[in-house]
Amino acid sequence: TDCSVVDLLSGKFSVGQVVKVKGWVRTRRDSKAGISFVAVYDGSCFDAIQAVVPNSLSNYEEVLRLTTGCSVMITGEVVESPGQGQAFEIQATGVEVIGWVEDPDTYPMAAKRHTVEFLREHAHLRPRTNLIGAVARVRNSLAQAIHRFYHERGYIWVSTPIITASDTEGAGEMFRVSTLDLENLPRNDQDAVDFSQDFFGKESFLTVSGQLNAETYACALSKVYTFGPTFRAENSNTSRHLAEFWMMEPEVAFADLDDVAALAEDMLKYVFKAVLEERGDDMAFFAQRIEKQAISRLESFISKDFAQVDYTDAIEILLQSGRKFEMDVSWGIDMSSEHERYLAEEHFKAPVVVKNYPRDIKAFYMRQNDDGKTVAAMDVLAPGIGEIIGGSQREERLEVFDARLEEMGLNKEDYSWYRDLRRYGSVPHSGFGLGFERLVSYVTGMSNIRDVIPFPRAPKQADY
Ligand code: ATP
Ligand code: MG
Ligand code: MG
Ligand code: MG
């Protein structure tokens, strides 16, 4: 019977059963007694299964040449492992080498501790390491748990477009899809134009957020979310920004800011719990190797309420902290990560929800508060990272929305479809965006966001 390493190690097969395992060699060790121990992994779990290979095998001479990375198929009997680590191992009766590693001395993924910088330069080979394999499994668990969370609560998953003309954040961080000078297209010679260069003559960009589109579905299906790739032309080399990242955005009709703040907290606790249950092996590795608190802090955040604070009070806390920040603190600033991390790591020592930000630093669609100075916006800040979620109640009152557009110098016509949601059966509604890689960073403790997405896209990084 074919079987995966995870099934074997978790005891799905009984002692004495003959099984076949396919995978790659992690390590090989030979004893003087003419026995080799070959550890084989297949990515299904953190651990490798140990095959005990006797020199009586006809191709034992090949076994002695196995090196890290060789692909093999091992046949043998499941036996109880006498060693400390694992419950089971395989008493091999056959070892078939599927693929050799040519020149093992120069194999980049040799079994040793590599720096993350080195691994990043080998993005096509790095999933073979313990570290990046663990990241991939945790990332998968988190994504599946997110879908499960929303599905169990009756949310509809909506796919929003990647090519768009609308700039959700108004922050000018959009990558252009159209490259031609559209104003000066040849008048009567449109056929001569290569439309692959300019999206059929329509100025367009890669999306920075699916929110506006998600709103249209929330104002019809009540509870929706989108989860997909998002792009931002931020030419900054930080450890928390990518040019291409995944965002998960729920949008809820008849919900206010407090409702979605509670939703964010429930969702985060749900996925923390799922990952601890499903990926205990990988999380133990992160706790040992990357971030001591990786497991304990998730456990503690599941069991207690997230902190909540008004932006205005958060600024006061920063001012009173006696801390010298690189960027000065005053009411009205868009907090930088040092401020956010101080609040989460040192002041509240927990994820913290900051609410009611100054309207002047926030996007046009956020709902105005009665004080005339703030909007119903929130950020969720996580220790070690800072902002992982940004959200708001949306402005549902047409007159207020129009006045804000005008004030910001935005064009009513450009937003006519969005205004329609306010013209026909408008409802209060709210939502947020979770940066998926920031979540994976937080859970694993991996400090650079480029190491938690398979193929990072950052300035000058797009080869493979
Ligand atoms: P920041 O202040 O950190 O630049 P933002 O306020 O610009 O983030 P939002 O527009 O609120 O980001 O987007 C929602 C979420 O998407 C953020 O809370 C964050 O988790 C994530 N995010 C934003 N920009 C990036 C990026 N360049 N790479 C990865 N994740 C991002
Ligand atoms: Mg930003
Ligand atoms: Mg921000
Ligand atoms: Mg934000």
Side-chain angles (χ1 to χ4, degrees), residues 240 257 261 264 306-309 311 334-335 340 343 351-357 361-362 366 376-382 386-392 432-433 438:
R240 48 183 225 150
L257 188 67
F306 287 6
Q308 306 249 359
V309 65
Y311 169 90
D334 194 1
M335 283 183 229
E340 297 174 341
L343 292 170
V352 47
V353 188
V354 181
K355 288 180 180 165
N356 301 316
Y357 281 76
I361 58 170
K362 288 292 180 185
M366 295 187 182
M378 66 157 187
D379 278 4
V380 178
L381 316 179
E387 174 180 347
I388 60 169
I389 284 179
S392 67
F432 63 80
R438 292 203 188 165

Side-chain angles (χ1 to χ4, degrees), residues 70 150 191 292 295 310 320 364 379 415 437:
C70 290
Y150 287 109
D191 290 343
K292 258 203 211 106
I295 293 179
D310 236 57
Q320 303 294 319
F364 64 91
D379 278 4
Y415 293 92
E437 285 72 23

